[in-house]
Each structure stands twice: as structure tokens, then as C-alpha cells.
């Protein structure tokens, strides 16, 4: 929880690789925080054009994870899944 809290505090300092790696890692471990994924999703949408193909593939996995985990929640990233 401390890492998630710190990541949320520093999200504006992250570059595209930091964002993709962090949110992907949280998805891989099945992190159960809608607030974290909403915050990162918003940051991702704001910077969508900055991500490399590898980072986009990580974000696609994240988009799938949040869609499966919370099917009735409208996440910013889930709306852009097709563009990843």
C-alpha cells in the first residue's frame, strides 16, 4: 500500500515508461484499487501519444485487467483500449 500511495503522489513526475511499468505491475499482481487505476488511467489518456509500442502493449493488458476486474466502472483507459 505504501508503494501505491507514493506512486499516486508522484504520478505527475513519471515519464511514459514509469507510468506504463507501474500500472502494468499493479495489474499483474491483481491490485485491488479502483482509485489507483482511475488516477493512472487519467494520466495515460492525457499523454497517450507519448507511449512506445511496448508501453502500449503493457497498457492494453492493464485496460483488459480493469475491464475484467470492474466491468461496470467507466475507466478512462478502457475507453481508449482500441487505440493501444
Amino acid at each position: 500500500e505504501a508503494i501505491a500511495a507514493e506512486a499516486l503522489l508522484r504520478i505527475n513526475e513519471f515519464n511514459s515508461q514509469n507510468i506504463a511499468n507501474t500500472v502494468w505491475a499493479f495489474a499483474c499482481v491483481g491490485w485491488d484499487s479502483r482509485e489507483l487505476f482511475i488516477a493512472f488511467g487519467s494520466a495515460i489518456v492525457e499523454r497517450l501519444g507519448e507511449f512506445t509500442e511496448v508501453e502500449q502493449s503493457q497498457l492494453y493488458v492493464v485496460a483488459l485487467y480493469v475491464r475484467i476486474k470492474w466491468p461496470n466502472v467507466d475507466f478512462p483507459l478502457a475507453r481508449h483500449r482500441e487505440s493501444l
Side-chain angles (χ1 to χ4, degrees):
E1 291 182 24
I3 294 171
E6 192 67 24
L8 287 172
L9 289 175
R10 296 180 181 266
I11 195 169
N12 293 327
E13 300 171 22
F14 285 10
N15 63 28
S16 62
Q17 183 180 8
N18 298 145
I19 290 172
N21 288 345
T22 301
V23 74
W24 176 78
F26 280 114
C28 284
V29 298
W31 197 254
D32 192 19
S33 171
R34 287 191 304 201
E35 293 76 22
L36 180 131
F37 288 101
I38 288 171
F40 271 92
S42 296
I44 291 163
V45 169
E46 290 174 10
R47 301 167 69 173
L48 226 103
E50 298 177 24
F51 295 95
T52 67
E53 287 183 15
V54 171
E55 293 161 355
Q56 288 177 23
S57 68
Q58 289 176 292
L59 298 177
Y60 185 77
V61 170
V62 172
L64 293 175
Y65 170 75
V66 297
R67 195 46 138 177
I68 291 167
K69 182 78 174 168
W70 300 285
N72 299 319
V73 177
D74 185 26
F75 285 95
L77 181 58
R79 284 182 250 135
H80 294 276
R81 186 177 63 216
E82 289 78 27
S83 63
L84 295 175

